[in-house]
Amino acid sequence: MMYEKIIETPIGPWVVQTLERKITWLAPIEMPRVKQSSQNAAILQLAEQQVLSYFAGERMEFELASAFELTDIQADIFEAIMLIPYGETRTIQQVAAFIEKPEAVQAVKRALLHNGLWLIVPTHRVVDDGQEVFPGARAIEQQLLRHERDYRIL
């Protein structure tokens, strides 16, 4: 069964969803999603603790099992994005080059569009060509980058 929990953060409410003890969604409440029943499952509590520690500047990476079906190229792209250091950015072209597929710019853009695990796969660290994926997403991404830059250890 799928469950969800709303987490209040300094930049507004976020939603975490689970399926069989794995995270399937972690994004701002404004992002379109299929709503699920509320439950206070242990995995939701763990996710809430990690999200709140991220916003308190105490966590830079997440240790949550996720359930996300990916193609091979999406998996390569998400792995590359997860390697971008906290508080830094890379361009879509740099991500494509990193996975040794410089022609895969459109694939990187599509992967960014389909990321439902915002903080686990920190796509806010990938700079695009100025187009917003969803209304309001750019402002949230900029808040996340500001937050990371404020807490980054140099």
Side-chain angles (χ1 to χ4, degrees), residues 77-116:
I77 291 165
F78 282 5
E79 287 173 14
I81 291 169
M82 292 170 73
L83 292 173
I84 300 171
Y86 182 89
E88 294 184 21
T89 59
R90 299 293 183 269
T91 65
I92 288 172
Q93 293 79 9
Q94 287 173 314
V95 172
F98 184 83
I99 64 168
E100 298 180 352
K101 292 186 169 87
E103 71 286 354
V105 168
Q106 290 305 316
V108 174
K109 287 182 181 184
R110 279 191 303 279
L112 295 173
L113 277 169
H114 293 97
N115 178 28

XYZ file of all heavy atoms in Angstrom, residues 77-116:
314
model
N 22.061 9.110 -15.485
C 21.874 10.554 -15.276
C 21.667 10.843 -13.794
O 22.310 11.742 -13.234
C 20.697 11.073 -16.127
C 21.055 11.025 -17.618
C 20.289 12.483 -15.708
C 19.871 11.178 -18.562
N 20.795 10.083 -13.131
C 20.534 10.323 -11.717
C 21.783 10.062 -10.876
O 22.067 10.798 -9.931
C 19.349 9.487 -11.229
C 18.004 10.051 -11.621
C 17.870 11.156 -12.442
C 16.853 9.460 -11.162
C 16.633 11.667 -12.800
C 15.597 9.960 -11.506
C 15.486 11.067 -12.321
N 22.541 9.040 -11.214
C 23.792 8.786 -10.494
C 24.763 9.963 -10.662
O 25.419 10.371 -9.704
C 24.431 7.491 -10.969
C 23.700 6.258 -10.479
C 24.218 4.957 -11.092
O 25.310 4.949 -11.699
O 23.515 3.940 -10.948
N 24.838 10.502 -11.875
C 25.712 11.661 -12.121
C 25.247 12.863 -11.311
O 26.066 13.578 -10.711
C 25.733 11.997 -13.616
N 23.950 13.086 -11.258
C 23.408 14.223 -10.499
C 23.699 14.060 -9.011
O 24.043 15.027 -8.324
C 21.895 14.370 -10.770
C 21.680 14.833 -12.224
C 21.253 15.351 -9.789
C 20.246 14.761 -12.706
N 23.606 12.839 -8.511
C 23.859 12.601 -7.089
C 25.326 12.836 -6.717
O 25.644 13.024 -5.541
C 23.405 11.196 -6.711
C 21.885 11.058 -6.781
S 21.293 9.368 -6.623
C 21.566 9.083 -4.879
N 26.202 12.868 -7.714
C 27.623 13.143 -7.459
C 27.947 14.634 -7.454
O 29.064 15.019 -7.095
C 28.484 12.428 -8.507
C 28.482 10.906 -8.411
C 29.223 10.296 -9.607
C 29.088 10.443 -7.093
N 27.009 15.483 -7.852
C 27.262 16.936 -7.834
C 27.359 17.354 -6.371
O 26.448 17.099 -5.580
C 26.136 17.716 -8.542
C 26.009 17.282 -10.007
C 26.394 19.232 -8.436
C 24.791 17.839 -10.727
N 28.469 17.994 -6.002
C 28.641 18.365 -4.589
C 27.545 19.309 -4.085
O 27.017 20.142 -4.824
C 30.010 19.063 -4.572
C 30.723 18.501 -5.760
C 29.654 18.302 -6.798
N 27.233 19.151 -2.830
C 26.272 19.984 -2.101
C 26.608 21.457 -2.341
O 27.746 21.879 -2.176
C 26.403 19.618 -0.632
C 25.490 20.292 0.346
C 24.253 19.747 0.639
C 25.890 21.432 1.013
C 23.423 20.333 1.580
C 25.068 22.028 1.961
C 23.835 21.480 2.235
O 23.019 22.054 3.165
N 25.613 22.233 -2.752
C 25.789 23.668 -2.947
C 26.396 24.068 -4.279
O 26.562 25.250 -4.554
N 26.746 23.106 -5.127
C 27.322 23.416 -6.434
C 26.316 23.092 -7.534
O 25.327 22.399 -7.293
C 28.608 22.614 -6.654
C 29.730 23.015 -5.708
C 31.023 22.289 -6.000
O 31.204 21.787 -7.137
O 31.861 22.221 -5.092
N 26.590 23.592 -8.724
C 25.706 23.307 -9.862
C 26.517 22.807 -11.050
O 27.736 23.017 -11.129
C 24.928 24.562 -10.308
O 25.848 25.581 -10.677
C 24.001 25.059 -9.228
N 25.819 22.127 -11.939
C 26.371 21.710 -13.232
C 25.310 22.008 -14.285
O 24.119 22.055 -13.981
C 26.679 20.201 -13.264
C 27.689 19.728 -12.243
C 29.096 20.272 -12.498
N 30.063 19.744 -11.559
C 30.382 20.313 -10.396
N 29.792 21.423 -10.015
N 31.286 19.770 -9.612
N 25.735 22.182 -15.516
C 24.781 22.402 -16.597
C 24.275 21.056 -17.107
O 24.888 20.010 -16.861
C 25.425 23.158 -17.777
O 26.441 22.317 -18.345
C 26.009 24.499 -17.340
N 23.193 21.117 -17.836
C 22.660 19.910 -18.468
C 23.724 19.302 -19.376
O 23.917 18.084 -19.396
C 21.376 20.256 -19.250
C 20.247 20.535 -18.255
C 20.993 19.157 -20.213
C 18.982 21.072 -18.869
N 24.447 20.150 -20.099
C 25.497 19.676 -21.003
C 26.619 18.982 -20.229
O 27.163 17.983 -20.687
C 26.052 20.837 -21.840
C 25.070 21.420 -22.825
C 24.035 22.376 -22.215
O 24.110 22.757 -21.049
N 23.044 22.743 -23.002
N 26.968 19.505 -19.065
C 28.013 18.879 -18.255
C 27.577 17.501 -17.746
O 28.384 16.578 -17.689
C 28.387 19.779 -17.069
C 29.200 20.990 -17.473
C 29.415 21.940 -16.308
O 28.489 22.258 -15.566
N 30.661 22.380 -16.145
N 26.297 17.367 -17.382
C 25.789 16.063 -16.936
C 25.857 15.070 -18.089
O 26.319 13.936 -17.933
C 24.359 16.180 -16.369
C 23.766 14.799 -16.091
C 24.352 17.032 -15.097
N 25.430 15.507 -19.284
C 25.477 14.634 -20.462
C 26.920 14.209 -20.757
O 27.183 13.038 -21.050
C 24.849 15.326 -21.664
N 27.848 15.138 -20.666
C 29.257 14.822 -20.924
C 29.796 13.871 -19.848
O 30.573 12.958 -20.147
C 30.087 16.101 -20.973
N 29.383 14.063 -18.600
C 29.860 13.217 -17.508
C 29.478 11.755 -17.721
O 30.244 10.858 -17.406
C 29.311 13.716 -16.164
C 29.836 12.941 -14.991
C 31.072 13.247 -14.436
C 29.111 11.892 -14.446
C 31.567 12.522 -13.365
C 29.591 11.162 -13.376
C 30.830 11.475 -12.825
N 28.284 11.513 -18.262
C 27.865 10.131 -18.506
C 28.376 9.628 -19.859
O 27.981 8.566 -20.325
C 26.334 9.947 -18.399
C 25.595 10.747 -19.472
C 25.844 10.291 -17.001
C 24.121 10.397 -19.600
N 29.269 10.423 -20.454
C 29.927 10.098 -21.729
C 28.929 9.946 -22.873
O 29.082 9.115 -23.758
C 30.797 8.844 -21.574
C 31.902 9.071 -20.559
C 32.800 7.869 -20.351
O 32.512 6.771 -20.877
O 33.819 8.037 -19.651
N 27.895 10.809 -22.831
C 26.902 10.861 -23.900
C 26.557 12.330 -24.146
O 25.443 12.779 -23.826
C 25.651 10.077 -23.504
C 25.886 8.591 -23.425
C 24.590 7.851 -23.164
C 24.759 6.393 -23.342
N 25.208 5.610 -22.262
N 27.504 13.095 -24.708
C 27.260 14.532 -24.878
C 26.042 14.840 -25.744
O 25.466 15.925 -25.647
C 28.548 15.055 -25.508
C 29.296 13.858 -25.967
C 28.803 12.683 -25.192
N 25.620 13.861 -26.552
C 24.442 14.063 -27.401
C 23.139 13.844 -26.618
O 22.048 14.036 -27.156
C 24.489 13.123 -28.612
C 24.246 11.656 -28.308
C 25.388 10.901 -27.607
O 26.484 11.476 -27.417
O 25.181 9.740 -27.244
N 23.206 13.485 -25.355
C 22.035 13.105 -24.566
C 21.398 14.266 -23.789
O 20.741 14.052 -22.783
C 22.402 11.979 -23.612
N 21.562 15.476 -24.283
C 21.015 16.642 -23.584
C 19.502 16.505 -23.382
O 18.980 16.789 -22.292
C 21.376 17.946 -24.344
C 20.600 19.139 -23.819
C 22.879 18.191 -24.246
N 18.783 16.070 -24.405
C 17.323 15.905 -24.269
C 16.987 14.818 -23.250
O 16.018 14.949 -22.495
C 16.675 15.593 -25.625
C 16.672 16.779 -26.582
C 16.008 18.020 -25.986
O 14.955 17.945 -25.372
N 16.644 19.163 -26.169
N 17.767 13.762 -23.206
C 17.538 12.699 -22.222
C 17.744 13.236 -20.802
O 16.996 12.880 -19.884
C 18.458 11.514 -22.483
N 18.745 14.095 -20.621
C 18.974 14.703 -19.306
C 17.773 15.575 -18.943
O 17.257 15.504 -17.821
C 20.287 15.521 -19.279
C 20.432 16.272 -17.959
C 21.489 14.610 -19.510
N 17.289 16.371 -19.884
C 16.120 17.221 -19.610
C 14.911 16.378 -19.223
O 14.190 16.712 -18.279
C 15.784 18.087 -20.825
C 16.756 19.218 -21.043
C 16.334 20.061 -22.237
C 17.313 21.191 -22.472
N 16.875 22.072 -23.569
N 14.674 15.275 -19.936
C 13.541 14.403 -19.613
C 13.702 13.786 -18.217
O 12.741 13.678 -17.458
C 13.385 13.299 -20.660
C 12.659 13.758 -21.902
C 12.283 12.604 -22.819
N 13.408 11.796 -23.255
C 14.232 12.110 -24.251
N 14.062 13.227 -24.929
N 15.237 11.320 -24.571
N 14.919 13.383 -17.884
C 15.160 12.815 -16.552
C 14.877 13.848 -15.468
O 14.273 13.526 -14.436
C 16.595 12.295 -16.444
N 15.271 15.089 -15.709
C 14.994 16.154 -14.747
C 13.486 16.319 -14.552
O 13.009 16.501 -13.431
C 15.598 17.483 -15.209
C 17.124 17.554 -15.291
C 17.560 18.865 -15.915
C 17.757 17.361 -13.933
N 12.753 16.252 -15.637
C 11.292 16.386 -15.592
C 10.634 15.277 -14.779
O 9.604 15.490 -14.166
C 10.705 16.326 -17.007
C 10.703 17.593 -17.814
C 10.333 17.294 -19.266
C 9.758 18.607 -17.227
N 11.209 14.089 -14.803
C 10.575 12.935 -14.178
C 11.129 12.598 -12.797
O 10.826 11.534 -12.263
C 10.664 11.717 -15.118
C 9.843 11.915 -16.337
N 10.375 12.354 -17.528
C 8.512 11.800 -16.547
C 9.410 12.485 -18.419
N 8.275 12.154 -17.848
N 11.931 13.471 -12.230
C 12.470 13.199 -10.903
C 11.430 13.539 -9.840
O 11.065 14.693 -9.675
C 13.741 14.022 -10.659
C 14.290 13.793 -9.266
O 14.098 12.737 -8.686
N 14.962 14.789 -8.723
N 10.977 12.540 -9.129
C 10.059 12.756 -8.020
C 10.742 12.664 -6.672
O 10.100 12.658 -5.637
